[in-house]
Amino acid sequence: MNTRTLKAKLSRSSEGRQSEWLFGMSGKATFLTALILVLLFCFIDTAVPGGKLIPTYAKHIVVTCLIYAILSLGLDFVAGYIGQVSLGHAAFFGLGAYVTGSLSVFYGVNFWITIPIGMIISGILSVPLAFASQKVKGPFLVVITYGFCEILRYVAINTSAWGGTSGLPGIKTPTLFGIKLTKLGPTNKDGYILILFAIVAFLAFFTWRVVKSRIGYAFAAIREDEIAAVAMGINTKYYKLLAIVISACICSIAGSFQAVFASFISPELFASTQSISMFTMVVVGGRRSIIGMILGAGLMTILPELFRMVQELFSLPFDPWMILYGLILIVMMRFRPQGIWGREEKKK
C-alpha cells in the first residue's frame, strides 16, 4: 500500500466513524447534559424531605461504572487507536491501587499526591512492556501482556507487607478542601461520583484532542498499515511506546480510586479476569469511540448486577450472567463487530 492509498483509507475511516459525542451533539452540549444528569442523580434526594429516591446501592454501581469507564478510555489507546490486543492492563490498574494503598497506609501520604506517583510508576513499568510488544504481534503479544500482569499478581501475593492473598485493608477516605468525599452529598457515594465524572469528562476531552492531533493521525496510520506508516517517515516505535505509556497512566488513575473507594487492595486487582473484562468493555462499546468506552463500561458493570438479582430472586443454581456474557460476545462478533457505538468503516 503506497502513501496515497493510505491517506485515502484514513480519510474514509474518519468519515465513516460515528460522532465521538452523544447523538451527534457537540462536546460541550454532551458535557452539560451529562453534568445536569449527574447532579440530579446525586442531589435529587435532598429535594424530597424524608425521601430516598436513589438507593445507595445504585450509586455504588455508578461509581464502579465510572472507574471502569476510566479503564476503558485508557485501554482504548492500545486496543483501539493503535490496534493491538492487550490482556495485561489489569497490571496498571493494580499498580495504581497498590501505590495509593501502600503510601496511604504505611506513610500517610495524601491521596491526591499518590495519584501522580502511581501514574509515574505505571508509566515507567510500561516501557519494557512496550519494547517487548514491538517485537511480536497477534497471539504472542497477548501472551506477553498476560504474563506481565501475572508477574505483578504473584509479587503482590508473596509480599507479606501487603498482606499476601489477604490483601491490605484500612485505606482512608480522601478529603477535598478538608471535606471527606463521603460527606459530599446525601450518601457516602456522591463525592466519588462527582470527582470521577469530572475525571471521565477530562479524559474524554483529552482523548478527543489527541485523536485529532498529529499524534492521533500517526496512531491511525500505524493501525491501518504499519509498513506504509514507516514508509511515510512515522516513527512507529515511538508512537507505540507513547500509546502504551498514556494507556498505563490512565489505568493507574482508576486503580487509585478503586483503592480508596473499596478501602482495600488485594492481588485480585491483577487477575486476568480484570483484563478480560476491560477488553470486553472496549469491544462491546466500540473501539475508538469515546461514548462507546463509557457505554461499554456501564453495560458490562450493570448487567452482571441485574442478573445476580435474577439469580437470587429465582434461586437459580447457576449464574445466568455467565451464559448471557458468552452469548453477548458471540452476537457482537457476528452481527456488530465494530461495537455498539462504533460505525462500520467504509471499505475500499
Side-chain angles (χ1 to χ4, degrees):
M1 183 183 294
N2 57 31
T3 302
R4 184 176 300 176
T5 305
L6 177 62
K7 288 182 178 179
K9 190 172 182 180
L10 290 178
S11 177
R12 289 195 302 271
S13 175
S14 178
E15 292 173 358
R17 192 179 304 149
Q18 195 168 4
S19 172
E20 291 92 340
W21 310 114
L22 190 61
F23 303 127
M25 294 191 297
S26 67
K28 184 180 293 185
T30 301
F31 170 74
L32 291 176
T33 302
L35 177 60
I36 292 171
L37 292 175
V38 167
L39 290 175
L40 283 174
F41 182 79
C42 290
F43 296 104
I44 194 172
D45 287 342
T46 60
V48 182
K52 195 170 184 180
L53 299 178
I54 310 296
T56 302
Y57 180 68
K59 294 186 176 182
H60 178 94
I61 298 301
V62 170
V63 174
T64 305
C65 289
L66 291 170
I67 290 174
Y68 277 106
I70 295 173
L71 285 171
S72 298
L73 287 167
L75 178 58
D76 198 36
F77 274 93
V78 174
Y81 295 114
I82 62 172
Q84 294 188 330
V85 178
S86 171
L87 289 183
H89 267 61
F92 307 117
F93 179 52
L95 274 172
Y98 266 82
V99 169
T100 292
S102 301
L103 293 179
S104 300
V105 172
F106 298 130
Y107 303 102
V109 178
N110 185 283
F111 166 71
W112 305 105
I113 297 177
T114 68
I115 293 178
I117 295 176
M119 293 172 66
I120 291 171
I121 293 175
S122 295
I124 292 173
L125 290 180
S126 70
V127 172
L129 177 65
F131 282 130
S133 66
Q134 290 174 0
K135 304 295 183 180
V136 296
K137 293 182 180 180
F140 299 102
L141 178 61
V142 174
V143 172
I144 287 178
T145 54
Y146 173 79
F148 175 74
C149 188
E150 283 297 291
I151 290 171
L152 293 181
R153 187 171 74 90
Y154 279 104
V155 169
I157 288 175
N158 291 283
T159 303
S160 58
W162 289 335
T165 55
S166 300
L168 181 66
I171 302 172
K172 296 181 179 179
T173 303
T175 59
L176 184 64
F177 303 115
I179 304 174
K180 286 187 175 182
L181 291 188
T182 51
K183 302 296 182 181
L184 295 176
T187 68
N188 59 358
K189 315 295 182 185
D190 300 294
Y192 286 107
I193 292 175
L194 295 173
I195 295 297
L196 288 169
F197 169 76
I199 293 174
V200 169
F202 171 78
L203 290 176
F205 176 74
F206 170 77
T207 302
W208 178 76
R209 291 289 295 175
V210 169
V211 171
K212 298 299 181 182
S213 70
R214 183 186 182 93
I215 295 173
Y217 290 123
F219 287 165
I222 294 170
R223 181 183 69 251
E224 296 292 342
D225 194 319
E226 187 172 346
I227 296 176
V230 173
M232 293 173 64
I234 296 175
N235 188 340
T236 57
K237 291 183 179 180
Y238 166 75
Y239 285 108
K240 282 184 176 181
L241 172 64
L242 181 62
I244 291 178
V245 170
I246 291 174
S247 180
C249 291
I250 293 175
C251 291
S252 174
I253 297 173
S256 295
F257 275 94
Q258 176 63 30
V260 294
F261 179 62
S263 299
F264 174 77
I265 53 176
S266 74
E268 290 303 310
L269 294 170
F270 295 105
S272 58
T273 52
Q274 289 280 6
S275 294
I276 294 171
S277 296
M278 291 161 56
F279 188 75
T280 304
M281 291 171 186
V282 172
V283 171
V284 170
R287 283 180 283 189
R288 305 191 301 279
S289 168
I290 295 170
I291 295 295
M293 295 304 97
I294 299 171
L295 178 63
L299 285 176
M300 302 306 288
T301 302
I302 294 172
L303 287 178
E305 298 300 324
L306 292 178
F307 278 87
R308 191 170 293 116
M309 295 179 185
V310 171
Q311 181 184 11
E312 294 176 357
L313 180 63
F314 294 99
S315 301
L316 297 177
F318 61 92
D319 186 356
W321 164 244
M322 299 310 298
I323 297 175
L324 182 65
Y325 178 77
L327 183 61
I328 287 175
L329 294 182
I330 293 171
V331 172
M332 289 296 298
M333 292 302 99
R334 175 61 182 86
F335 298 103
R336 186 112 182 138
Q338 69 272 26
I340 295 174
W341 204 261
R343 175 178 290 177
E344 189 173 3
E345 297 179 354
K346 295 179 181 180
K347 297 181 179 179
K348 184 178 177 181

